């Protein structure tokens, strides 16, 4: 700028005001800073200040009011409103009371200098009359440009509620042209209705004038457009005053949130419903169950809960694949829905498990509903390609009454009753009674704890291994595999991990089992030194319970020291969910064993809610992508995108990527193409028993 001017910075925050003063002085302006409204008025009276930067809040005062006072004293003063509390109504009010421009904090230095440069053009006008006229025109033009450019609809009225101005956004929102609407009463153009009861809502401009204060009403209402279409809007109303503070009109601001509301409703629906069946999900079901529990206490109502577990569903999945299993669930869900009454809520709780809440019902109504569902399953035949399957169900029933304490207890009782139905021969229901939980728990503990401990004592756990192969010239060419565990029963039959691992986890036997597996693996390589030489990397799984064992890291370190086995040839694998659930313990174990030279892999990666956020804090070497994404990545573009994203981000973070559940050669080719490092699955090799193992 060829000339520099005197500027007064008036801000509620003294530190901010002084920082602005220093900035302006660096550019050659003469600047003063104050937080006092009185001092600002005194300075304007005595000092040749040309420009004032005015904050919206001055102590207990109002920046718009201060601008009016400053302009009364010095009509030629250029006032620029600066605030962090931007709103259309405030902008309109400030400009009408003399503000030259309206800047929003934090103020961009370039924007401030550009504004001062434009203000200098006003100051340079020698003729006071021309200067005042020019300033007025600029103010009007700026207000017009601002109002026409913004996305919110702005409508101004006179004191009687007759429309004087509509910006283009308001024309689009209401489907009224400004020319047609001008002079009409605002309630004829802007018709609001309550979105719940559809009753007409009083126009907020009138309410604003009656109460003589601005009204901020972010609640959503329905606006009836000129074409009869209903849209969802948020709205607020403010007063327009003249220089004497007399009310001369009102401002109505409209924001069309129809699409945002639809998106929110869609997201809410997805959060509450199961994507496959369309039933409500477990989270929403538990919310409704909890609400029903409250009515028991408050109104003495009785409800019934049915916990439904399909029998023989796994046979369909294993025989025909998950696509067939999904189709079965959808067909059976449709049949279940047809049998429901208005007081019944059906939910998919996970996998092949369902919940049915029957509100304000008798025990007999619950029994009738259970029998109806069992009959549906009995008569249902699922056909897939050349195969036909029958599916049964085991149902646990709980009466929710005054003795029910919490949803955790009720669901546990229903689960217990369901297991009792299975134990009695399946395809039946069982009503929970006091004592069922204790009986089943004792029976389960006697069966599984005894069987697992006996198998450990008799060395009936054997190790299997499944190959992991490099896809893009990784590795040294040695053997790379994951250790898997199986249990042999008394007759020598192999029991798969899906049968005993859940029981071991439930009864806290996993840490003991993990120690046995690590010890057995070490003994195997000690006895087979030639296989150890051929070994590139052996991966051993660890459970969440093991991560919580503070002595495990020391015990493994001692085993390495005693055995002489190279730690660099061993990788410990933990699931993502276990790592997140035991983050502190996982970090301690990883740091301790990596110091020995061990590697770590994070299994089932991508299944958690915040995978990448936690990954930054976990110093693992390998990521094993959750097999749920791998198995369908050929046909499902979302799964493909997830695999590709995990691979790319993992590489950026310096991790090597392993894809598991590779059961199709086409998947293998696709993984190679996107640059995944390793693959594991039936398309490569099935698990094989390791010889000479305990």
């Amino acid at each position: 700028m060829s000339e520099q001017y005197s500027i007064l910075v008036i801000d509620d925050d003294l530190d901010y005001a002084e920082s602005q003063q220093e900035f302006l002085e660096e550019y050659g302006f003469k600047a003063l800073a104050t937080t006092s409204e009185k001092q600002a008025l005194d300075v304007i009276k005595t000092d040749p200040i040309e420009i004032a930067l005015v904050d919206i809040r001055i102590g207990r005062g109002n920046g718009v009011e201060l601008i009016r006072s400053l302009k009364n004293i010095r009509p030629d003063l250029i006032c620029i409103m600066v605030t962090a509390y931007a709103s259309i109504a405030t902008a309109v009010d400030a400009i009408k009371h003399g503000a030259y421009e309206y800047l929003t904090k934090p103020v961009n230095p370039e924007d401030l200098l550009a504004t001062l440069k434009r203000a200098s053009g006003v100051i340079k006008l020698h003729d006071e009359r021309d200067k005042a006229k020019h300033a007025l025109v600029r103010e009007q033009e700026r207000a017009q440009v601002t109002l026409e450019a913004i996305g919110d609809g702005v409508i101004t009225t006179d004191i009687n509620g007759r429309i004087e101005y509509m910006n283009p956004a308001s024309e689009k929102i209401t489907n009224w042209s400004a020319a047609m609407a001008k002079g009409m009463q605002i309630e004829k153009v802007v018709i609001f209705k309550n979105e719940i009861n559809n009753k007409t809502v009083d126009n907020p401009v009138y309410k604003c004038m009656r109460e003589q204060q601005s009204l901020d009403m972010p609640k959503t209402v329905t606006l009836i457009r000129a074409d009869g279409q209903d849209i969802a809007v948020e709205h607020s109303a403010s007063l327009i005053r003249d220089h004497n503070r007399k009310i001369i009109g009102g401002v109505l601001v409209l924001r069309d949130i129809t699409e945002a509301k639809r998106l929110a409703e869609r997201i809410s629906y997805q959060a509450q419903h199961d994507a496959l069946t369309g039933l409500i999900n477990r989270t929403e079901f538990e919310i409704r169950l909890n609400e029903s529990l409250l009515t028991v206490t408050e109104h003495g109502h009785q409800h019934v809960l049915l916990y439904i577990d399909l029998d023989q569903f796994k046979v369909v999945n294993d025989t025909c694949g998950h696509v067939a299993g999904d189709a079965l669930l959808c067909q059976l869900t449709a049949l279940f829905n047809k049998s429901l009454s208005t007081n019944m809520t059906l939910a998919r709780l996970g996998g092949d498990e369902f919940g049915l809440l029957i509100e304000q019902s008798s025990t007999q109504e619950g029994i009738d509903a259970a029998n109806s569902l069992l009959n549906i399953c009995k008569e249902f035949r699922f056909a897939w390609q050349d195969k036909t399957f029958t599916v049964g169900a085991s149902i646990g029933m709980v009466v929710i009454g005054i003795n029910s304490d919490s949803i955790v207890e009720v669901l546990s009782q229903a689960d217990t009753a369901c297991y009792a139905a299975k134990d009695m021969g399946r395809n039946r229901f069982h009503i929970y009674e006091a004592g069922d939980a204790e009986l089943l728990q004792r029976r389960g503990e006697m069966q599984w704890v005894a069987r697992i401990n006996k198998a450990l004592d008799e060395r009936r756990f054997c190790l299997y291994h499944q190959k992991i192969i490099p896809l893009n010239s990784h590795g040294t060419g040695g053997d790379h595999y994951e250790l898997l565990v199986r249990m042999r029963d008394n007759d020598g039959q192999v029991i798969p991990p899906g049968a005993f691992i859940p029981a071991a986890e439930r009864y806290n036997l996993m840490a003991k089992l993990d120690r046995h597996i690590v010890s057995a693996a070490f003994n195997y390589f000690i006895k087979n030194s030639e296989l150890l030489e051929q070994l590139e990397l052996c991966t051993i799984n660890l459970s969440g319970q093991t991560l919580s064992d503070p002595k495990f890291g020391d015990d493994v370190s001692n085993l390495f020291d005693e055995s002489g086995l190279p730690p660099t040839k061993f990788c410990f694998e933990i699931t993502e969910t276990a790592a997140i659930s035991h983050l502190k313990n996982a970090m301690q174990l990883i740091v301790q064993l990596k110091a020995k030279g061990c590697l770590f892999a994070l299994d089932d990666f991508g299944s958690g809610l915040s995978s990448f956020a936690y990954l930054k804090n976990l110093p693992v070497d390998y990521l094993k992508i959750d097999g749920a994404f791998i198995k369908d990545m050929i046909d499902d573009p979302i799964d493909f995108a997830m695999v590709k994203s995990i691979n790319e981000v993992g590489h950026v973070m310096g991790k090597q990527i392993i894809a598991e559940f590779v059961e199709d050669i086409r998947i293998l080719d696709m993984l190679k193409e996107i640059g995944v490092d390793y693959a594991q699955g039936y398309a490569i090799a099935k698990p094989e028993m390791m010889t000479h193992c305990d």
Side-chain angles (χ1 to χ4, degrees):
M1 296 172 62
S2 59
E3 295 183 39
Q4 308 301 328
Y5 301 98
S6 297
I7 301 175
L8 177 61
V9 181
I10 312 167
D11 198 284
D12 191 52
D13 185 344
L14 182 58
D15 291 337
Y16 179 84
E18 290 178 345
S19 68
Q20 289 292 89
Q21 177 185 355
E22 293 175 2
F23 170 78
L24 293 168
E25 288 175 346
E26 288 178 4
Y27 280 84
F29 293 99
K30 298 176 183 178
L32 294 174
T34 181
T35 62
S36 167
E37 182 176 352
K38 182 179 182 302
Q39 184 179 359
L41 294 171
D42 291 341
V43 169
I44 292 299
K45 292 176 182 177
T46 58
D47 291 0
I49 300 295
E50 286 119 331
I51 301 173
L53 302 179
V54 185
D55 187 38
I56 187 66
R57 293 181 178 177
I58 308 296
R60 296 184 178 180
N62 182 294
V64 176
E65 291 288 337
L66 179 56
I67 287 177
R68 186 175 66 84
S69 299
L70 293 172
K71 296 287 284 186
N72 283 339
I73 297 172
R74 289 272 306 280
D76 60 333
L77 182 67
I78 302 298
C79 294
I80 299 171
M81 175 65 71
V82 181
T83 179
Y85 304 92
S87 73
I88 299 301
T90 305
V92 172
D93 205 15
I95 291 172
K96 285 183 175 292
H97 285 86
Y100 169 75
E101 190 142 353
Y102 190 90
L103 298 177
T104 303
K105 288 182 180 177
V107 178
N108 185 303
E110 293 181 357
D111 290 345
L112 176 58
L113 292 175
T115 300
L116 294 176
K117 183 176 181 179
R118 290 194 295 272
S120 69
V122 178
I123 299 171
K124 290 177 182 178
L125 295 176
H126 301 291
D127 187 272
E128 291 296 327
R129 181 177 300 173
D130 290 344
K131 182 170 65 174
K133 181 179 178 180
H134 182 76
L136 179 59
V137 170
R138 287 293 300 272
E139 289 171 2
Q140 291 174 339
E141 288 177 348
R142 192 171 303 281
Q144 187 76 12
V145 170
T146 300
L147 292 174
E148 292 187 1
I150 62 174
D152 290 345
V154 179
I155 303 174
T156 64
T157 73
D158 63 14
I159 189 65
N160 297 313
R162 289 189 294 268
I163 293 175
E164 293 183 333
Y165 169 80
M166 293 179 66
N167 73 341
S170 67
E171 290 181 298
K172 183 178 180 181
I173 292 172
T174 64
N175 201 36
W176 279 84
S177 70
M180 288 289 294
K182 188 172 183 179
M184 294 181 63
Q185 294 295 135
I186 191 168
E187 77 274 12
K188 301 293 184 181
V189 174
V190 182
I191 303 172
F192 288 140
K193 288 191 176 182
N194 187 298
E195 64 176 348
I196 298 175
N197 57 27
N198 208 35
K199 291 184 178 180
T200 301
V201 177
D202 187 22
N203 195 285
V205 170
Y206 293 126
K207 185 177 181 181
C208 183
M209 291 181 181
R210 285 196 305 269
E211 299 180 5
Q212 296 193 10
Q213 63 178 2
S214 298
L215 300 174
D216 185 14
M217 292 167 283
K219 276 190 174 182
T220 305
V221 295
T222 299
L223 184 145
I224 312 301
R225 289 162 41 102
D227 57 5
Q229 181 184 356
D230 296 353
I231 63 171
V233 296
E234 288 181 348
H235 63 286
S236 62
S238 299
L239 298 171
I240 300 176
R241 300 177 185 269
D242 63 14
H243 64 280
N244 293 319
R245 303 302 296 157
K246 180 182 177 181
I247 298 173
I248 59 173
V251 178
L252 178 64
V253 180
L254 304 173
R255 175 170 295 172
D256 184 353
I257 61 166
T258 305
E259 287 303 318
K261 189 169 182 286
R262 286 175 184 164
L263 178 60
E265 289 172 348
R266 186 161 63 248
I267 292 173
S268 176
Y269 180 88
Q270 292 172 348
Q272 296 171 354
H273 290 77
D274 172 54
L276 176 65
T277 63
L279 300 175
I280 64 171
N281 57 25
R282 188 183 191 99
T283 301
E284 180 64 18
F285 186 74
E286 290 182 356
I287 291 173
R288 299 188 187 186
L289 182 58
N290 191 55
E291 291 173 350
S292 297
L293 277 170
L294 294 177
T295 67
V296 172
T297 304
E298 297 173 358
H299 306 294
H301 293 162
Q302 175 181 290
H303 316 289
V304 171
L305 170 65
L306 300 183
Y307 194 97
I308 307 135
D309 191 339
L310 300 183
D311 298 324
Q312 304 305 314
F313 174 73
K314 189 175 185 299
V315 174
V316 177
N317 261 351
D318 292 346
T319 305
C320 301
H322 292 284
V323 174
D326 289 348
L328 184 155
L329 291 175
C330 291
Q331 292 179 24
L332 199 55
T333 296
L335 294 175
F336 283 168
N337 273 327
K338 291 181 180 179
S339 70
L340 302 184
S341 302
T342 55
N343 65 332
M344 298 180 181
T345 301
L346 182 66
R348 185 185 181 198
L349 305 182
D352 59 351
E353 297 174 347
F354 298 84
L356 179 64
L357 175 62
I358 312 173
E359 299 183 75
Q360 299 186 40
S361 62
S362 64
T363 302
Q364 186 58 49
E365 188 176 356
I367 293 173
D368 293 342
N371 281 322
S372 175
L373 295 176
L374 289 173
N375 287 332
I376 289 172
C377 291
K378 182 179 179 181
E379 296 173 2
F380 176 63
R381 296 293 182 272
F382 176 68
W384 187 261
Q385 296 176 349
D386 59 342
K387 299 180 179 65
T388 302
F389 300 88
T390 59
V391 179
S394 298
I395 301 177
M397 173 175 159
V398 176
V399 177
I400 304 172
I402 57 174
N403 295 322
S404 302
D405 291 334
S406 66
I407 61 171
V408 174
E409 179 194 56
V410 169
L411 286 170
S412 176
Q413 292 170 351
D415 184 49
T416 297
C418 184
Y419 273 101
K422 285 183 178 293
D423 198 47
M424 290 185 293
R426 302 174 185 265
N427 295 318
R428 65 190 65 220
F429 70 89
H430 180 77
I431 303 175
Y432 174 83
E433 295 178 359
D436 279 355
E438 291 77 11
L439 177 62
L440 288 174
Q441 184 176 4
R442 284 197 300 270
R443 182 181 301 171
E445 289 174 349
M446 289 171 61
Q447 290 177 349
W448 280 111
V449 173
R451 291 178 68 183
I452 292 173
N453 281 324
K454 188 176 181 181
L456 285 168
D457 293 339
E458 296 176 358
R459 297 187 172 285
R460 286 192 281 106
F461 283 95
C462 54
L463 298 181
Y464 280 62
H465 65 78
Q466 186 176 29
K467 286 184 180 180
I468 300 173
I469 64 168
L471 299 182
N472 295 289
S473 302
H474 289 278
T476 62
D479 295 332
H480 184 180
Y481 43 74
E482 176 185 359
L483 291 189
L484 306 170
V485 65
R486 305 286 188 268
M487 187 174 82
R488 293 192 300 269
D489 63 16
N490 291 326
D491 298 326
Q493 297 297 314
V494 174
I495 301 174
F500 62 87
I501 291 294
E505 290 177 336
R506 182 173 183 180
Y507 300 115
N508 298 315
L509 294 174
M510 280 306 302
K512 184 177 182 180
L513 184 57
D514 283 351
R515 288 175 184 273
H516 176 83
I517 294 169
V518 172
S519 177
F522 280 29
N523 288 334
Y524 174 78
F525 286 112
I526 290 172
K527 294 176 182 178
N528 297 274
S529 57
E530 71 284 359
L531 296 180
L532 179 64
E533 291 178 2
Q534 298 171 14
L535 179 67
E536 177 184 351
L537 195 65
C538 173
T539 298
I540 303 174
N541 289 282
L542 300 179
S543 69
Q545 292 175 17
T546 300
L547 294 180
S548 299
D549 185 346
K551 296 181 180 180
F552 183 79
D554 292 335
D555 292 344
V556 173
S557 294
N558 292 335
L559 282 176
F560 275 119
D561 293 338
E562 293 168 5
S563 66
L565 294 175
T568 54
K569 291 196 173 189
F570 291 86
C571 176
F572 292 98
E573 184 175 303
I574 56 180
T575 65
E576 179 193 354
T577 51
I580 293 173
S581 300
H582 307 83
L583 188 58
K584 181 179 178 181
N585 296 331
M587 283 293 297
Q588 292 175 347
L589 181 64
I590 292 173
V591 170
Q592 181 180 4
L593 294 185
K594 282 182 72 69
K596 296 286 292 185
C598 298
L599 303 178
F600 272 82
L602 198 59
D603 194 16
D604 293 340
F605 187 79
S607 60
L609 296 176
S610 305
S611 300
F612 292 122
Y614 284 103
L615 182 59
K616 292 189 294 186
N617 299 316
L618 286 170
V620 297
D621 307 281
Y622 296 89
L623 299 183
K624 295 188 76 172
I625 304 175
D626 190 348
F629 300 126
I630 300 295
K631 63 185 179 64
D632 295 325
M633 64 181 292
I634 290 178
D635 301 315
D636 191 329
I638 296 177
D639 286 349
F640 174 83
M642 285 294 297
V643 173
K644 191 171 184 292
S645 174
I646 292 172
N647 182 64
E648 291 173 352
V649 176
H651 282 159
V652 170
M653 292 184 174
K655 319 298 182 185
Q656 295 193 66
I657 312 301
I658 303 174
E660 56 184 359
F661 284 83
V662 180
E663 300 177 355
D664 190 314
I665 194 66
R666 294 175 300 164
I667 294 177
L668 192 64
D669 293 338
M670 186 175 287
L671 293 170
K672 289 180 181 178
E673 183 178 342
I674 65 177
V676 172
D677 302 306
Y678 296 90
Q680 174 185 2
Y682 277 30
I684 298 161
K686 295 183 178 181
E688 298 177 1
M689 180 180 287
M690 297 172 66
T691 56
H692 309 299
C693 65
D694 292 330

